[in-house]
Amino acid sequence: MTDNANPSYLQALSAVVADATLPDQVLTQWLGSARPSNGEALQHKAQWFTKSPAFDEQLRERFGLAVEAALGGALQHWRNEGPWGHLALVLLLDQFTRNIHRNTPKSFAGDAQALTLALEALDSGADMELPEVVRVFMYLPLEHAEDPAMQQRSVAAFEALAQMAPDAETREYLAGTLDYAHRHQDVIARFGRFPHRNPILGRVNTAREEEYLAQPGSGF
């Protein structure tokens, strides 16, 4: 990343902050369009949780500055642009960080902000204005939290969401997201944190965590 004190970097960052089209660009990159239906969003599900260096680099080139701006709090005005703008900011902070800064502590740097945004959407009911599949990404910050209360709220959100599926394809996908929510909750109940993050964050594994991490699929 360019030196943050470099005038050209600061100029580019200012341009990102002022770009009114950027929320729709984020949504289109992740979901296929700025206002996708459930079916349209699901056409892009292969890219969401697949580890792909090429896709990570694509996001880094297109949205690296946007993520930096979001992490620095410069895009908070997006939360006032309706549920879609709110979601676009959540995507930058909770999803794009994980791709662009994969396997580094910075991949989790937006989690606290994303969680605040997710709770705002839930408390205001703004999440209900989004299609069911899209709403998954508004709830993931709760699932990513190393906090039992947030895990309980995550499972409740995903349980309610699964009951709202309007068709078989959506129902199948949301059943899978509910299963993952339960699995995340179980890990936090057992360890109070996600052990697969320990090497990235410089945390020392306990013996129980070592045993857990040796099992297939332990890192989600």
Side-chain angles (χ1 to χ4, degrees):
M1 183 65 69
T2 309
D3 185 349
N4 290 9
N6 188 307
S8 62
Y9 171 83
L10 295 176
Q11 184 177 16
L13 196 63
S14 295
V16 164
V17 174
D19 187 351
T21 72
L22 191 54
D24 281 359
Q25 292 179 44
V26 170
L27 294 164
T28 299
Q29 173 70 57
W30 199 252
L31 302 168
S33 78
R35 304 291 185 272
S37 65
N38 285 320
E40 289 168 340
L42 284 173
Q43 291 179 27
H44 297 268
K45 66 181 179 180
Q47 72 180 10
W48 294 338
F49 306 113
T50 301
K51 295 180 181 179
S52 166
F55 183 60
D56 290 353
E57 183 58 29
Q58 180 185 352
L59 290 183
R60 191 174 297 113
E61 289 180 1
R62 290 198 62 195
F63 298 104
L65 280 173
V67 167
E68 291 302 308
L71 289 173
L75 300 180
Q76 288 296 307
H77 56 286
W78 289 15
R79 71 206 299 176
N80 301 320
E81 298 176 6
W84 290 101
H86 198 116
L87 175 66
L89 185 54
V90 170
L91 286 172
L92 283 182
L93 291 165
D94 188 66
Q95 295 298 316
F96 284 32
T97 46
R98 283 167 162 73
N99 290 84
I100 290 173
H101 298 294
R102 190 181 298 279
N103 296 325
T104 74
K106 202 168 183 178
S107 62
F108 311 116
D111 283 16
Q113 289 188 61
L115 179 60
T116 296
L117 290 165
L119 292 172
E120 284 181 359
L122 280 161
D123 291 341
S124 70
D127 58 309
M128 301 301 290
E129 299 182 45
L130 301 168
E132 289 82 3
V133 169
V134 173
R135 213 178 303 164
V136 166
F137 295 101
M138 194 70 88
Y139 301 158
L140 281 178
L142 285 75
E143 185 176 295
H144 290 156
E146 293 184 317
D147 180 300
M150 292 300 99
Q151 290 297 320
Q152 183 176 2
R153 192 156 185 187
S154 167
V155 168
F158 280 105
E159 284 178 341
L161 190 59
Q163 295 174 5
M164 299 176 189
D167 56 74
E169 182 185 28
T170 303
R171 189 176 306 113
E172 180 181 5
Y173 184 76
L174 294 180
T177 65
L178 175 57
D179 176 63
Y180 265 78
H182 280 295
R183 290 169 61 185
H184 280 73
Q185 184 185 40
D186 289 346
V187 171
I188 294 301
R190 289 176 64 186
F191 305 108
R193 61 185 185 176
F194 293 117
H196 65 273
R197 296 184 185 178
N198 291 350
I200 299 172
L201 295 175
R203 304 187 305 206
V204 178
N205 293 333
T206 65
R208 289 177 62 241
E209 288 174 337
E210 289 280 4
E211 182 180 357
Y212 165 75
L213 289 170
Q215 300 172 14
S218 60
F220 299 107

